[in-house]
Amino acid sequence: MYRIRVFGDPVLRKRAKPVTKFDENLKKTIERMIETMYHYDGVGLAAPQVGISQRFFVMDVGNGPVAVINPEILEIDPETEVAEEGCLSFPEIFVEIERSKRIKVKYQNTRGEYVEEELEGYAARVFQHEFDHLNGVLIIDRISPAKRLLLRKKLMDIARTVKR
Ligand code: ZN
């Protein structure tokens, strides 16, 4: 199990570095992240959220856990939809976010093999959310300043819990 890093922790704002070693250590880290994601009832968890500034995440949108390493979004459909999202790094905050309905992605699995996929709906949404984490982008960056202002107190309360 990992401790989840919450809003205010500087690691969440860093641009994560590519994964270069596809070794046992990476597999163990991914297993631990999957365990942590399930423990907190998450559908996705990115490495920076457990303090690891590297480009990978895990997700499970109902078809079992998937590890996504060094992801790229190759195509992004201009058609979007709005839906509510939460984030384990923002406990008790839910915001409506507009995202593309369909994306074409490429990533590596734990063996380092390349995978290309087309995702839509919920899977596309979760992928985009986790992908954002690898670039230091958070859900509050995808809402209007007015909505962000309404969350100010909650955000300050979360940031105050960050262990330094
Ligand atoms: Zn998140």
Side-chain angles (χ1 to χ4, degrees):
M1 280 279 297
Y2 283 109
R3 175 168 71 84
I4 304 271
R5 305 303 182 94
V6 294
F7 173 69
D9 192 313
V11 73
L12 293 176
R13 286 306 196 180
K14 278 195 197 155
R15 192 184 157 81
K17 297 233 160 39
V19 172
T20 52
K21 275 195 221 149
F22 293 82
D23 55 8
E24 271 316 297
N25 188 43
L26 177 68
K27 279 187 192 142
K28 274 192 197 131
T29 303
I30 283 171
E31 275 169 31
R32 248 176 108 185
M33 278 174 61
I34 290 169
E35 186 193 340
T36 308
M37 171 177 77
Y38 289 146
H39 178 83
Y40 289 101
D41 286 322
V43 291
L45 183 66
Q49 293 182 278
V50 296
I52 302 169
S53 193
Q54 289 188 33
R55 304 189 77 76
F56 64 95
F57 59 78
V58 295
M59 62 187 271
D60 184 350
V61 292
N63 312 312
V66 181
V68 173
I69 303 164
N70 296 332
E72 287 172 67
I73 297 182
L74 302 174
E75 282 170 38
I76 189 149
D77 195 310
E79 197 186 338
T80 61
E81 65 189 352
V82 175
E84 196 170 70
E85 284 181 27
C87 178
L88 295 178
S89 297
F90 290 84
E92 288 165 48
I93 287 184
F94 296 92
V95 286
E96 303 246 287
I97 296 184
E98 186 176 9
R99 301 223 188 243
S100 173
K101 280 174 95 165
R102 271 176 296 273
I103 53 174
K104 194 173 163 188
V105 301
K106 184 181 174 182
Y107 58 88
Q108 283 168 283
N109 63 22
T110 52
R111 291 186 295 276
E113 298 156 348
Y114 286 93
V115 181
E116 252 186 60
E117 270 176 358
E118 284 186 39
L119 302 175
E120 59 174 57
Y122 191 53
R125 174 169 298 274
V126 173
F127 195 103
Q128 289 171 82
H129 176 121
E130 301 309 328
F131 185 81
D132 271 354
H133 275 297
L134 308 183
N135 296 325
V137 175
L138 302 171
I139 50 171
I140 51 162
D141 304 326
R142 299 228 176 252
I143 61 175
S144 70
K147 282 188 183 155
R148 204 153 47 231
L149 200 61
L150 289 174
L151 292 173
R152 216 176 82 95
K153 183 165 182 314
K154 273 188 176 176
L155 292 173
M156 278 166 53
D157 287 345
I158 295 171
R160 214 172 288 139
T161 67
V162 173
K163 294 187 180 80
R164 295 194 193 269

